[in-house]
């Protein structure tokens, strides 16, 4: 058996593969659910209704999908240019803590129309700064950025923990390590009344469209793609690789930092060290499920959020550990990888 | 200053160094053998997690400690097989496949752990490996209690490092591994099947990673808890670069790293209240990044690392 590169990729294949990958991942996690002694179809039904069955659960799912869209976009733009930014988790936290700090110490008294955009910018810049360290190490010392950006996650989380134990600690939190709250008028407006769903969802979707436009219609988008497809060829064609990568990194880190900022300003209002249940890492899966397509990221994020939100209810009802959601999402990444392979190759005997 | 000296002079520090180094030695050697054959294995963090969980689980269910270690190695190897299937047979991105293996292996470990231990506040414990005093040597002053009263897997890790150095540089198998990582086309021309060599190296390396994880539950601690691997896998990946892909230096690098880690732990207690403890906890990660920056350019990377090999395709 050997593999042969496909000359062209039929459209139906590109649409079907992510769906098939998800179905395969669900089937595989179904085995684990069955081993745990629970009815598989009922489990999945409960996940679906738990995530979309009511107004409350649907808004919860979309609230959860919002940061995933942004971290997913962060991974997608970077991976496109073959910049392996695995540090979205750290960038998320740095964006979040920057917002808390800026609101508590600097701009808290500004009126909302000035404050909100300013804080969002602060969060994005914080994320950019963090990714520029691994990028600098790559360009200057040729250190693979995968490991450095990953290790930065641990450093960033400890840094946040230090701040909320120290200078940014909320004196009113009964000794809990929790940052001071952002001022009330820094909170993002709600999208649906009597729910946690906030305007961040609209921002995330708008950014997905903008990123899609940047990637498909601008010179920078083309250069970043060329840098990913064939770095040597891109340099030969006159793309300044270093400069392109810096721009890509800023975009990627900025999106991840913005995710943290929006999560603070949209949902919690303050920072704790469990603000993110792995949004940065799940963002990688979201990006891969979307095949690095910015518009696909929106749907992949909703699917991933559905698994996480739905699994909570399923877990309570059937006694299956909620980690089944993480298992399914991770398996989707693996099955998606295999599925993508078959869009590019066919089997030849 | 006196405090610093006291810390350095205590046999406890030096004994702790070997203990802290052991999972890193296993993991670094595992990652090293994969990379020598041309495959980057970022699955390491997850494979160590599942090794820790499965090792603990086996012993908890009545297996003896060595069987637990063996099972951890086998399960690690199975996940290595998955990574090899994706990266060697299908030639998929080694970065993404490795991350996928990590995410899957760790979430799978947590899932299985929670199935068995639904909601206990204190995780169930086992009786771990006990320190073995090597007759004669362990009674030496200072050196004895520091170096020769470790648990058996620590001695095993050191032995494997030396054995691996011998295999890689002195045997035909080692030559085949190096060729698969440097120039698989030349290896093929020599009658070596680089695909098979890569499979073998990734499975064996992942087995070592699984043992490194199992050391945490079977020797260092006596129970499993989520996030117990805490980035050790990524540190191992950094240590491979630091070691310039040489097993002897990997042993040295892991010990050096463990020295700083053990030292900061004690310094943290000595200076508690004066400096935020988080600064100390950051040092292992910052050290790894610094080690990468210093060593990356000087290190000789296996030339075909991360390049999928397909017959007839260049």
């Amino acid at each position: 058996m050997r593999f042969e590169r496909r000359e062209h990729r039929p459209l139906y294949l590109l649409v079907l593969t992510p769906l098939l990958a998800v179905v395969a991942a669900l089937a595989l996690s179904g085995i684990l659910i069955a081993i745990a002694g629970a009815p598989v179809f009922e489990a999945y039904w409960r996940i679906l209704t738990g995530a979309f069955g009511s107004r409350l659960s649907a808004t919860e799912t979309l609230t959860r999908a919002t940061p995933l869209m942004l971290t997913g976009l962060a991974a997608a733009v970077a991976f496109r240019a073959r910049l392996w930014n695995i540090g979205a988790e750290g960038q998320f936290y740095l964006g979040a803590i920057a917002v808390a700090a800026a609101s508590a110490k600097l701009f808290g008294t500004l009126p909302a129309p000035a404050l909100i955009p300013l804080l969002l910018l602060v969060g994005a810049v914080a994320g950019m700064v963090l990714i520029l360290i691994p990028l600098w190490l790559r360009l200057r010392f040729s250190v693979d950025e995968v490991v450095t950006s990953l290790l930065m996650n641990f450093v960033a989380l400890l840094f946040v923990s230090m701040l909320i134990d120290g200078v940014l600690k909320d004196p009113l939190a009964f000794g809990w390590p929790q940052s001071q709250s952002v001022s009330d008028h820094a909170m993002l407006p709600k999208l649906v009344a009597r729910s946690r769903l906030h305007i961040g969802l609209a921002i995330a979707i708008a950014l997905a469209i903008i990123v899609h436009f940047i990637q498909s219609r601008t010179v920078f988008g083309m250069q970043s793609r060329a840098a990913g497809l064939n770095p040597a060829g891109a340099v030969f064609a006159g793309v300044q690789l270093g400069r392109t990568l810096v721009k890509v990194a800023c975009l990627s880190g900025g999106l991840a930092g913005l995710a943290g900022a929006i999560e603070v300003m949209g949902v919690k209002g303050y920072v704790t060290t469990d603000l993110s249940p792995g949004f940065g890492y799940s963002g990688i899966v979201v990006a891969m499920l979307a095949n690095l397509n910015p518009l696909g990221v929106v749907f992949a994020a909703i699917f991933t959020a559905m698994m996480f939100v739905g699994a909570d209810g399923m877990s309570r009802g059937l006694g299956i550990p909620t980690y089944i959601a993480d298992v399914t999402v991770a398996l989707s990444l693996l099955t998606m990888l295999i599925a993508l392979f078959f869009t590019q190759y066919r089997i030849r005997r | 200053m006196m405090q610093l000296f006291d810390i350095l002079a205590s046999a406890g520090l030096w004994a702790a160094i070997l203990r802290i180094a052991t999972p890193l030695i296993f993991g670094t050697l595992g990652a090293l053998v994969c990379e020598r054959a041309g495959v980057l294995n970022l699955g390491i963090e997850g494979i160590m997690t599942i090794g820790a969980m499965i090792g603990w689980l086996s012993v908890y269910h009545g297996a003896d400690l060595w069987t637990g270690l063996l099972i951890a190695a086998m399960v690690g190897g199975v996940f290595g097989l998955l990574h090899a299937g994706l990266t060697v047979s299908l030639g998929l991105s080694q970065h993404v496949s490795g991350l996928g293996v990590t995410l899957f292996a760790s979430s799978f470990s947590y899932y299985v752990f929670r199935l068995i231990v639904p909601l206990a506040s204190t995780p169930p414990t086992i009786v771990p490996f006990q320190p073995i005093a090597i007759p004669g040597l362990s009674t030496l002053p200072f050196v004895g209690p520091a170096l020769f009263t470790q648990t058996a897997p620590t001695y095993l890790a050191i032995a494997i490092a030396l054995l691996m150095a011998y295999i890689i540089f002195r045997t035909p198998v080692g030559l085949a591994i190096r060729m698969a990582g440097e120039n698989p086309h030349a290896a093929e021309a020599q009658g070596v099947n680089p695909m098979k060599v890569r499979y073998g190296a990734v499975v064996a390396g992942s087995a070592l990673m699984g043992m490194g994880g199992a050391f945490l539950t079977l020797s260092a601690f006596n129970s499993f808890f989520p996030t117990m691997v805490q980035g050790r896998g990524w540190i191992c990946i950094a240590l491979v670069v630091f070691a310039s892909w040489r097993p002897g230096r990997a042993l040295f690098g892991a010990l050096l790293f463990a020295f700083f880690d053990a030292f900061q732990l004690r310094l943290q207690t000595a200076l508690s209240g004066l400096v935020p403890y988080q600064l100390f906890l950051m040092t292992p990660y910052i050290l790894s990044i610094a080690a990468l920056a210093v060593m990356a350019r000087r290190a000789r990377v296996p030339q075909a690392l991360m390049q999928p090999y397909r017959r007839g395709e260049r």
Side-chain angles (χ1 to χ4, degrees):
Chain A
M1 185 179 85
R2 46 186 303 157
F3 304 113
E4 183 185 81
R5 206 172 258 281
R6 284 181 194 272
E7 291 302 317
H8 74 284
R9 300 175 207 173
L11 184 66
Y12 75 90
L13 214 54
L14 292 178
V15 178
L16 269 181
T17 40
L19 294 176
L20 276 176
V22 165
V23 169
L26 289 175
L28 287 171
S29 347
I31 299 175
L32 292 177
I33 296 177
I35 290 174
V40 177
F41 286 102
E42 193 191 337
Y44 282 131
W45 179 247
R46 282 188 188 224
I47 288 180
L48 194 65
T49 53
F52 288 110
S54 68
R55 200 188 78 108
L56 179 70
S57 58
T59 54
E60 266 312 293
T61 303
L62 291 175
T63 310
R64 184 72 85 93
T66 303
L68 286 172
M69 282 177 202
L70 292 165
T71 54
L73 283 174
V77 293
F79 287 15
R80 255 283 154 84
R82 235 189 270 178
L83 174 77
W84 301 102
N85 176 14
I86 319 295
E89 185 80 1
Q91 291 143 28
F92 177 96
Y93 272 108
L94 212 61
I97 199 70
V99 162
S103 169
K105 305 282 183 200
L106 294 174
F107 315 122
T109 50
L110 288 178
L115 182 61
I116 289 178
L118 188 64
L119 288 182
L120 291 177
L121 187 69
V122 165
V125 170
M128 283 178 205
V129 171
L130 194 59
I131 171 78
L132 286 177
I133 298 169
L135 181 69
W136 177 72
L137 289 170
R138 167 171 162 179
L139 296 176
R140 179 81 174 74
F141 299 99
S142 44
V143 184
D144 188 28
E145 70 277 15
V146 172
V147 185
T148 45
S149 63
L150 233 157
L151 290 169
M152 296 295 292
N153 290 342
F154 295 94
V155 178
L157 191 61
L158 285 165
F159 178 67
V160 167
S161 156
M162 188 174 86
L163 291 183
I164 64 183
D165 242 359
V167 284
L168 285 178
K169 185 168 185 159
D170 185 356
L172 304 175
F174 303 104
W176 282 108
Q178 154 178 332
S179 82
Q180 284 167 272
S181 299
V182 298
S183 45
D184 280 340
H185 50 283
M187 293 302 283
L188 296 174
K190 293 278 178 259
L191 211 56
V192 175
R194 288 178 295 113
S195 79
R196 300 205 306 164
L197 188 60
H198 53 86
I199 199 95
L201 177 70
I203 299 177
I205 293 174
L207 280 170
I209 296 169
I210 292 169
V211 169
H212 176 73
F213 178 80
I214 291 176
Q215 284 198 330
S216 56
R217 296 288 156 81
T218 66
V219 176
F220 161 65
M222 196 212 71
Q223 286 177 336
S224 78
R225 244 169 44 190
L229 287 172
N230 183 352
V235 171
F236 186 70
V239 176
Q240 287 179 303
L241 202 58
R243 198 176 283 188
T244 308
L245 285 179
V246 170
K247 286 188 214 162
V248 170
C250 284
L251 184 58
S252 173
L255 285 162
L258 193 63
I262 285 183
E263 190 67 4
V264 173
M265 294 160 64
V267 182
K268 275 269 195 77
Y270 55 86
V271 182
T272 53
T273 49
D274 59 359
L275 182 70
S276 157
F279 285 132
Y281 302 109
S282 309
I284 295 166
V285 185
V286 167
M288 290 310 296
L289 279 180
N291 195 10
L292 307 187
N293 178 318
L295 299 179
V297 161
V298 173
F299 299 98
I302 293 174
F303 164 75
T304 308
M306 177 193 92
M307 287 308 300
F308 285 126
V309 173
D312 280 345
M314 193 268 298
S315 169
R316 272 191 304 273
L318 298 178
I320 303 291
T322 48
Y323 284 116
I324 194 66
D326 299 83
V327 174
T328 312
V329 167
L331 277 171
S332 314
L333 171 59
L334 293 173
T335 52
M336 184 65 189
L337 265 181
I338 298 169
L340 280 177
F341 174 81
F342 286 106
T343 63
Q344 289 163 5
Y345 289 85
R346 67 172 92 230
I347 299 177
R348 256 297 153 81
R349 277 171 217 284
Chain B
M1 268 329 279
M2 274 321 284
Q3 263 176 332
L4 283 188
F5 185 76
D6 284 347
I7 293 173
L8 286 174
S10 77
L13 173 80
W14 298 93
I17 290 171
L18 273 175
R19 195 167 57 240
I20 294 174
T22 304
L24 299 176
I25 297 173
F26 276 117
T28 309
L29 292 173
L32 188 146
V33 77
C34 299
E35 291 185 32
R36 272 284 180 179
V39 181
L40 177 70
N41 191 349
L42 296 182
I44 179 166
E45 182 81 6
I47 294 174
M48 285 180 93
T49 308
I50 193 136
M53 195 281 293
I54 230 66
W56 168 85
L57 185 63
S58 316
V59 176
Y60 183 63
H61 279 281
D64 69 79
L65 289 162
W66 286 104
T67 313
L69 198 63
L70 187 69
I71 291 174
M74 278 164 44
V75 172
V78 169
F79 278 84
L81 199 61
L82 173 65
H83 184 59
L86 295 172
T87 57
V88 179
S89 291
L90 300 186
L92 297 169
S93 157
Q94 297 182 0
H95 282 137
V96 183
S97 165
L99 292 170
V101 170
T102 278
L103 288 175
F104 174 50
S106 38
S107 53
F108 181 74
S109 311
Y110 304 156
Y111 176 75
V112 172
F113 177 68
R114 273 283 163 253
L115 264 187
I116 289 150
V117 187
L119 273 176
S121 48
T122 47
T125 56
I126 54 162
V127 180
F129 278 107
Q130 299 302 314
I132 301 172
I134 295 197
L137 295 173
S138 62
T139 49
L140 292 173
F142 189 73
V143 183
L147 304 184
F148 298 107
T149 48
Q150 298 289 332
T151 58
T154 300
Y155 300 126
L156 179 66
I158 294 168
I160 291 177
L162 302 178
L163 181 69
M164 189 184 284
Y166 176 77
I167 291 176
I168 286 190
F169 295 116
R170 295 270 186 278
T171 66
V173 176
L175 182 63
I177 293 175
R178 281 183 290 148
M179 280 175 84
E182 294 289 344
N183 189 341
H185 297 283
E188 180 94 69
Q190 293 284 320
V192 171
N193 183 340
M195 309 281 256
K196 279 189 187 157
V197 173
R198 285 184 167 187
Y199 260 92
V202 174
V203 170
S206 305
L208 286 178
M209 297 170 186
M211 289 165 78
F215 176 84
L216 294 175
T217 44
L218 300 186
S219 215
F221 306 95
N222 55 4
S223 61
F224 177 82
F225 48 92
T227 73
M228 78 184 303
V229 177
Q230 264 190 328
R232 284 187 180 84
W234 310 118
I235 287 168
C236 290
I237 299 279
L239 278 174
V240 175
V241 180
F242 177 80
S244 195
W245 289 269
R246 303 173 75 92
R249 285 192 208 168
L251 181 60
F252 170 72
L255 287 170
L256 184 69
F257 189 89
F259 165 77
F260 285 114
D261 205 12
F263 188 64
Q264 65 89 11
L265 269 175
R266 280 159 181 76
L267 203 60
Q268 195 179 322
T269 344
L271 298 178
S272 71
L274 294 173
V275 185
Y277 71 91
Q278 291 95 340
L279 281 181
F280 291 105
L281 295 182
M282 276 181 207
T283 49
Y285 308 109
I286 292 175
L287 270 176
S288 308
I289 296 172
L292 280 172
V294 172
M295 298 305 288
R297 269 210 290 201
R298 241 183 297 166
R300 253 203 28 82
V301 191
Q303 288 300 303
L305 180 62
M306 292 192 265
Q307 286 171 14
Y309 176 74
R310 289 198 186 90
R311 218 159 274 160
E313 240 183 65
R314 289 226 166 205

